[in-house]
Amino acid sequence: MPEPMPREPHLSGGGRAPEDGAIAATGMGGTMDLATAEGETLEKTPGGPDGTGPSEKPRSLWSDAWRDLRRNPVFIISGLIILFLVFISLWPGVIATQNPLKCDLAKAQEGSQPGHPFGFNGQGCDVYTRTVYGARVSVTVGVCASLGVAILGSVLGGLAGFFGGSGDAVLSRITDIFFAIPVVLGGLVLLSVVTSSTVWPVIGFMVLLGWPQISRIARGSVITTKQNDYVQAARALGASNSRMMLRHITPNAIAPVIVVATIALGTYISLEATLSYLGVGLKPPTVSWGIDISSASQYIRTAPHALLWPAGALAVTVLAFIMLGDAVRDALDPKLR
């Protein structure tokens, strides 16, 4: 009597039997399709067979920095102060209805009055109005000087760090010469021959003496970044110098420049006030906190309010930008996390 044919294993989806190892015996004597079972397991297990959860898109340095900044109270407070300063710089007439150049000598050195909460200075000008309008000059000088210094310094330092050679050596010696020039003394010498009352000579002086610091920082950051593996891989694949600078090096080397430029913004505002106080920066009829502090210093005993309000506004502004720079530095530096 011939032996009975072996029973064909049960197929989960019909068709021919899978290859060896695809069928396994169950505990009840039956069989199951391992390929189907594995597919069902992969569908039910989040993130793959190891059950590590659904995969997330990796966050960049900038997205992580923005997430940290939104949770930093220092950044929020300083940001709100800076937004308020920008607002009154663009539209000072919204909160100050008086003319900052209109003065009444009959009210000179008088204190607070209805409609004049900060009183009057030695020339009879409304201190509140001049304090509000003085923010425009300070913010303009700080922002423009910081942008000019950041652009000029990062371009020169980045190119020197990327190409190296004799150009790098020459730039290093030039920056050493500029570092040896005292900033205030240089301002006294260079701006003393300028007769313009606009902000541009002051901004040009700050850019002229401020770019070496950013240049040295950008140079070191580019030298460090260009040694990374992804830059070497791009070079091996035949990427041009411009592509490597724009696509691979600049986005990863710009963070230190942003941090230093943000902190230096407050420094440039205080430098403008210092030069204006010494009489070589901005000149009347320009409304500036430095000019008001200089004119009110001789009345500090009889009318201290004329000095305290513009000086306090200057201090708060500088402190806000320095706090913003510190918050940005903490967010962009992975070592501080």
Side-chain angles (χ1 to χ4, degrees):
M1 181 176 181
E3 297 181 0
M5 297 293 294
R7 185 179 179 181
E8 185 177 358
H10 173 70
L11 299 179
S12 60
R16 69 183 186 87
E19 298 178 357
D20 295 340
I23 303 298
T26 64
M28 301 299 295
T31 59
M32 65 180 296
D33 191 342
L34 288 182
T36 303
E38 183 178 359
E40 295 175 352
T41 303
L42 290 176
E43 291 178 358
K44 296 179 181 179
T45 304
D50 55 353
T52 56
S55 58
E56 297 180 359
K57 183 179 180 180
R59 293 189 299 265
S60 63
L61 172 64
W62 303 104
S63 61
D64 283 343
W66 175 240
R67 183 190 60 178
D68 294 341
L69 287 174
R70 288 181 299 176
R71 301 175 180 177
N72 191 344
V74 174
F75 172 77
I76 296 175
I77 296 174
S78 61
L80 291 176
I81 296 175
I82 292 172
L83 287 178
F84 176 72
L85 291 171
V86 173
F87 175 79
I88 65 175
S89 299
L90 296 176
W91 302 284
V94 175
I95 62 174
T97 58
Q98 303 293 328
N99 186 353
L101 301 179
K102 182 180 179 180
C103 303
D104 187 2
L105 289 176
K107 298 181 179 180
Q109 304 184 30
E110 291 186 2
S112 176
Q113 297 179 4
H116 307 279
F118 293 174
F120 299 88
N121 61 11
Q123 289 77 35
C125 302
D126 184 37
V127 176
Y128 171 76
T129 303
R130 292 186 64 87
T131 302
V132 172
Y133 276 83
R136 172 181 294 178
V137 171
S138 296
V139 172
T140 301
V141 170
V143 171
C144 293
S146 296
L147 287 177
V149 167
I151 294 174
L152 180 61
S154 60
V155 169
L156 294 178
L159 293 177
F162 182 77
F163 292 104
S166 58
D168 184 19
V170 171
L171 182 66
S172 298
R173 302 292 77 78
I174 293 177
T175 55
D176 292 339
I177 295 174
F178 275 91
F179 278 129
I181 302 176
V183 177
V184 177
L185 179 60
L188 291 174
V189 174
L190 296 178
L191 295 178
S192 61
V193 298
V194 178
T195 58
S196 175
S197 60
T198 62
V199 299
W200 300 113
V202 179
I203 294 174
F205 161 74
M206 294 180 181
V207 173
L208 179 63
L209 293 187
W211 69 267
Q213 180 186 15
I214 299 293
S215 175
R216 180 161 293 185
I217 293 173
R219 173 183 174 272
S221 182
V222 169
I223 291 176
T224 302
T225 304
K226 75 175 184 179
Q227 298 175 356
N228 292 330
D229 294 338
Y230 55 86
V231 178
Q232 301 299 327
R235 187 188 301 274
L237 292 174
S240 62
N241 291 332
S242 60
R243 180 177 178 83
M244 285 189 293
M245 282 292 295
L246 297 177
R247 291 291 302 274
H248 303 289
I249 295 180
T250 300
N252 296 282
I254 198 66
V257 175
I258 295 176
V259 172
V260 175
T262 305
I263 297 177
L265 199 153
T267 304
Y268 294 138
I269 292 177
S270 63
L271 178 60
E272 177 272 322
T274 302
L275 295 175
S276 298
Y277 178 86
L278 296 174
V280 296
L282 301 177
K283 301 174 178 62
T286 304
V287 181
S288 168
W289 289 335
I291 295 176
D292 288 350
I293 294 172
S294 176
S295 61
S297 60
Q298 54 185 326
Y299 308 109
I300 189 171
R301 292 185 178 181
T302 58
H305 60 273
L307 174 65
L308 296 179
W309 287 112
L314 175 64
V316 170
T317 302
V318 174
L319 179 62
F321 281 104
I322 292 177
M323 290 170 57
L324 180 68
D326 289 340
V328 173
R329 179 200 59 194
D330 296 341
L332 291 178
D333 192 352
K335 298 179 181 178
L336 300 178
R337 296 180 182 176

